[in-house]
Amino acid sequence: DSGVTQTPKHLITATGQRVTLRCSPRSGDLSVYWYQQSLDQGLQFLIQYYNGEERAKGNILERFSAQQFPDLHSELNLSSLELGDSALYFCASSATRLAGVRTGELFFGEGSRLTVL
Amino acid sequence: ILNVEQSPQSLHVQEGDSTNFTCSFPSSNFYALHWYRWETAKSPEALFVMTLNGDEKKKGRISATLNTKEGYSYLYIKGSQPEDSATYLCASLRSGGYQKVTFGTGTKLQVIP
């Protein structure tokens, strides 16, 4: 158990719909990352938040948005869904510093599998 | 090099064979290099966090080396076992704020009993 919780684990929806994926990071981790894994593809970086602020943006579509709340949980909102958005969406968290030592190691949740029909 | 590249893409080895794979990453603004192990139907788990040029890390039969000046890292598995079958990912962290993490596409290893 990595300590990172993602909900829902599975989600089936129709094209054009909107969904929200939720991530609770490990206790104390300030950084949250979102990644997309499509069929037979690697991990594609979407976006990163640090302590509530957006810090880095990857190949995230304009139809997608995310935020990190004061309690450090994060949500990824996917709207106007298309068939190609079907993927496994991972959230990961990291501690910038751990007992004074910089690590940056990412801890991954189990992912949210989105199927768009 | 601008992206994180891993080779080979996939690999089949016999049980007991030793193997190694390569991760190439941007050497500029280097902060850290991570190796992750990703088993099917699970989520990636960190194997090594490497930060210093010349670093060598070892965990059981798995070890890794790091060359930050030329931008590459090797992962070695000695005496591969079927339970080593997984996708091995490397990730490059570059300095300049808050650790943007870029993953390679991974090397998929299958160990044949």
Side-chain angles (χ1 to χ4, degrees), chain B residues 6-11 20-22 106-108:
Chain B
Q6 292 188 247
S7 63
Q9 192 171 7
S10 65
L11 195 54
N20 66 85
F21 358 109
T22 305
T107 293
K108 187 171 184 177

Side-chain angles (χ1 to χ4, degrees), chain B residues 42-70:
Chain B
K42 295 188 177 180
S43 50
E45 291 185 0
L47 282 171
F48 302 116
V49 173
M50 310 181 81
T51 56
L52 298 175
N53 186 42
D55 249 358
E56 288 190 33
K57 300 263 182 169
K58 187 173 181 180
K59 187 180 289 188
R61 293 179 291 99
I62 304 177
S63 60
T65 61
L66 179 67
N67 182 321
T68 61
K69 295 188 186 310
E70 296 182 40

Side-chain angles (χ1 to χ4, degrees), chain A residues 26 93-98 101-108, chain B residues 25 30-37 45-59 62-66 68 73-75 89-93 99 101 103:
Chain A
R26 286 190 326 154
S93 72
S94 74
T96 303
R97 289 182 183 274
L98 185 66
V101 177
R102 303 179 96 173
T103 62
E105 172 187 357
L106 268 62
F107 294 87
F108 283 83
Chain B
F25 55 88
F30 175 82
Y31 179 80
L33 191 284
H34 295 175
W35 281 100
Y36 292 82
R37 173 189 160 87
E45 291 185 0
L47 282 171
F48 302 116
V49 173
M50 310 181 81
T51 56
L52 298 175
N53 186 42
D55 249 358
E56 288 190 33
K57 300 263 182 169
K58 187 173 181 180
K59 187 180 289 188
I62 304 177
S63 60
T65 61
L66 179 67
T68 61
S73 176
Y74 295 133
L75 187 79
L89 297 169
C90 70
S92 164
L93 283 74
Q99 304 169 8
V101 184
F103 281 85

Side-chain angles (χ1 to χ4, degrees), chain B residues 76-88:
Chain B
Y76 301 90
I77 302 179
K78 185 178 178 181
S80 303
Q81 299 297 307
E83 58 265 30
D84 295 329
S85 298
T87 296
Y88 292 84

Side-chain angles (χ1 to χ4, degrees), chain A residues 38-86:
Chain A
S38 301
L39 191 63
D40 293 334
Q41 299 291 312
L43 288 172
Q44 298 297 315
F45 171 67
L46 295 177
I47 199 163
Q48 180 207 351
Y49 281 84
Y50 177 81
N51 202 21
E53 294 185 14
E54 181 186 307
R55 287 299 177 183
K57 216 167 189 176
N59 299 323
I60 187 167
L61 299 172
E62 286 191 11
R63 299 183 286 109
F64 295 1
S65 64
Q67 53 184 326
Q68 186 180 27
F69 295 87
D71 67 353
L72 301 178
H73 91 270
S74 178
E75 293 181 355
L76 179 67
N77 300 296
L78 316 174
S79 61
S80 303
L81 285 168
E82 301 175 0
L83 295 177
D85 297 328
S86 296

